[in-house]
Amino acid sequence: QVQLVESGGGLVQAGGSLRLSCAASGLTFSRVSMGWFRQAPEKEREFVATIGWSGSTTVYADSVKGRFTISRDNAKGTVYLQMNSLKPEDTGVYYCAADINSATGETWARWYDFWGQGTQVTVSS
Protein backbone atom coordinates (compact mmCIF):
# COMPACT_ATOMS: atom_id res chain seq x y z
CA GLN A 1 0.00 0.00 0.00
CA VAL A 2 1.27 3.45 -0.90
CA GLN A 3 1.37 5.79 2.05
CA LEU A 4 2.55 9.38 2.41
CA VAL A 5 2.87 10.59 5.99
CA GLU A 6 3.40 14.29 6.63
CA SER A 7 4.74 16.03 9.69
CA GLY A 8 6.19 19.34 10.80
CA GLY A 9 3.19 21.64 10.62
CA GLY A 10 2.25 23.98 13.40
CA LEU A 11 1.78 27.56 14.50
CA VAL A 12 4.50 30.08 13.75
CA GLN A 13 4.85 33.84 13.88
CA ALA A 14 5.17 35.84 10.68
CA GLY A 15 8.78 35.89 9.57
CA GLY A 16 9.49 32.54 11.16
CA SER A 17 10.33 29.17 9.65
CA LEU A 18 8.99 25.63 9.51
CA ARG A 19 10.26 22.46 7.90
CA LEU A 20 7.69 19.98 6.62
CA SER A 21 8.52 16.33 6.02
CA CYS A 22 6.73 13.67 4.01
CA ALA A 23 7.77 10.05 4.40
CA ALA A 24 6.77 7.77 1.54
CA SER A 25 6.33 4.01 1.56
CA GLY A 26 4.96 1.40 -0.80
CA LEU A 27 6.61 2.80 -3.93
CA THR A 28 10.00 3.16 -5.55
CA PHE A 29 10.68 6.62 -4.22
CA SER A 30 13.65 7.35 -6.49
CA ARG A 31 11.42 6.91 -9.55
CA VAL A 32 8.62 9.29 -8.62
CA SER A 33 8.37 13.04 -8.70
CA MET A 34 7.10 14.71 -5.57
CA GLY A 35 5.13 17.87 -5.00
CA TRP A 36 3.77 20.10 -2.28
CA PHE A 37 0.37 21.77 -2.49
CA ARG A 38 -1.63 23.84 -0.05
CA GLN A 39 -5.20 24.83 0.54
CA ALA A 40 -6.20 27.93 2.47
CA PRO A 41 -9.65 28.35 4.00
CA GLU A 42 -12.28 29.02 1.34
CA LYS A 43 -9.70 28.76 -1.44
CA GLU A 44 -8.80 26.20 -4.07
CA ARG A 45 -5.86 23.88 -3.66
CA GLU A 46 -2.77 25.50 -5.15
CA PHE A 47 0.65 24.40 -6.28
CA VAL A 48 3.62 25.20 -4.06
CA ALA A 49 6.67 23.27 -5.29
CA THR A 50 7.73 20.13 -7.10
CA ILE A 51 10.93 18.13 -7.41
CA GLY A 52 12.01 15.55 -9.97
CA TRP A 53 13.32 12.04 -9.49
CA SER A 54 16.91 12.91 -8.71
CA GLY A 55 16.27 16.21 -6.96
CA SER A 56 18.10 18.23 -9.61
CA THR A 57 14.92 19.78 -11.07
CA THR A 58 12.70 21.98 -8.93
CA VAL A 59 9.83 24.35 -9.70
CA TYR A 60 8.20 26.84 -7.33
CA ALA A 61 5.07 28.90 -7.33
CA ASP A 62 5.80 32.60 -7.72
CA SER A 63 4.26 33.28 -4.32
CA VAL A 64 6.87 31.20 -2.50
CA LYS A 65 9.92 31.48 -4.75
CA GLY A 66 12.95 32.64 -2.80
CA ARG A 67 11.38 31.72 0.54
CA PHE A 68 10.62 28.00 0.27
CA THR A 69 12.94 25.16 -0.67
CA ILE A 70 11.89 21.66 -1.68
CA SER A 71 14.36 18.80 -1.32
CA ARG A 72 14.40 15.03 -1.13
CA ASP A 73 16.41 12.23 0.37
CA ASN A 74 15.90 9.15 -1.76
CA ALA A 75 17.74 6.91 0.69
CA LYS A 76 15.21 7.85 3.37
CA GLY A 77 12.23 8.04 1.03
CA THR A 78 11.41 11.51 2.31
CA VAL A 79 10.64 14.86 0.71
CA TYR A 80 10.99 18.14 2.61
CA LEU A 81 9.69 21.66 2.36
CA GLN A 82 11.76 24.27 4.14
CA MET A 83 9.63 27.38 4.63
CA ASN A 84 11.33 30.63 5.60
CA SER A 85 10.08 34.20 5.98
CA LEU A 86 6.57 32.92 6.48
CA LYS A 87 3.62 35.21 5.88
CA PRO A 88 0.03 34.99 7.11
CA GLU A 89 -1.07 34.24 3.55
CA ASP A 90 0.99 31.03 3.72
CA THR A 91 -1.56 29.65 6.18
CA GLY A 92 -3.30 26.50 5.05
CA VAL A 93 -3.24 22.73 4.95
CA TYR A 94 -0.12 21.49 3.20
CA TYR A 95 -0.21 18.24 1.25
CA CYS A 96 2.57 16.21 -0.28
CA ALA A 97 1.89 14.18 -3.41
CA ALA A 98 3.61 11.59 -5.58
CA ASP A 99 3.59 11.46 -9.38
CA ILE A 100 4.60 8.05 -10.71
CA ASN A 101 4.64 9.10 -14.38
CA SER A 102 6.77 12.25 -14.56
CA ALA A 103 10.51 12.46 -14.11
CA THR A 104 10.64 16.22 -13.54
CA GLY A 105 7.42 16.94 -11.67
CA GLU A 106 4.21 18.74 -12.56
CA THR A 107 2.42 21.82 -11.25
CA TRP A 108 -1.12 20.61 -11.92
CA ALA A 109 -2.52 18.71 -8.96
CA ARG A 110 -4.44 16.26 -11.14
CA TRP A 111 -1.21 14.78 -12.47
CA TYR A 112 -0.42 13.34 -9.05
CA ASP A 113 -1.36 9.80 -8.13
CA PHE A 114 -1.02 9.66 -4.35
CA TRP A 115 -1.55 12.18 -1.59
CA GLY A 116 -0.74 12.57 2.06
CA GLN A 117 -3.27 13.44 4.72
CA GLY A 118 -2.13 17.04 5.02
CA THR A 119 -0.58 19.02 7.84
CA GLN A 120 -1.81 22.37 9.12
CA VAL A 121 0.42 25.43 8.90
CA THR A 122 -0.76 28.58 10.63
CA VAL A 123 1.18 31.84 10.41
CA SER A 124 0.14 34.56 12.82
CA SER A 125 0.55 38.29 12.27
Side-chain angles (χ1 to χ4, degrees):
Q1 292 279 85
V2 174
Q3 188 174 22
L4 305 178
V5 180
E6 301 163 0
S7 61
L11 175 64
V12 65
Q13 192 176 75
S17 298
L18 285 174
R19 191 190 195 197
L20 305 183
S21 299
C22 176
S25 61
L27 48 74
T28 304
F29 187 74
S30 62
R31 291 293 181 269
V32 299
S33 296
M34 300 293 296
W36 286 96
F37 295 79
R38 68 187 182 189
Q39 187 167 15
E42 301 182 348
K43 291 187 177 181
E44 297 291 320
R45 181 175 53 187
E46 66 175 345
F47 166 75
V48 176
T50 187
I51 188 167
W53 288 356
S54 68
S56 61
T57 301
T58 58
V59 180
Y60 297 91
D62 289 342
S63 59
V64 307
K65 194 172 185 178
R67 300 188 297 119
F68 291 10
T69 303
I70 187 171
S71 61
R72 65 191 296 163
D73 187 334
N74 286 348
K76 295 181 179 179
T78 303
V79 63
Y80 306 94
L81 185 68
Q82 178 67 46
M83 305 185 294
N84 298 327
S85 302
L86 283 162
K87 305 174 181 179
E89 52 262 44
D90 295 318
T91 294
V93 178
Y94 283 68
Y95 301 90
C96 69
D99 177 1
I100 64 174
N101 297 305
S102 299
T104 56
E106 300 287 345
T107 61
W108 191 25
R110 290 175 178 169
W111 278 104
Y112 288 82
D113 304 285
F114 305 102
W115 293 82
Q117 80 287 349
T119 185
Q120 177 70 41
V121 172
T122 303
V123 184
S124 63
S125 301

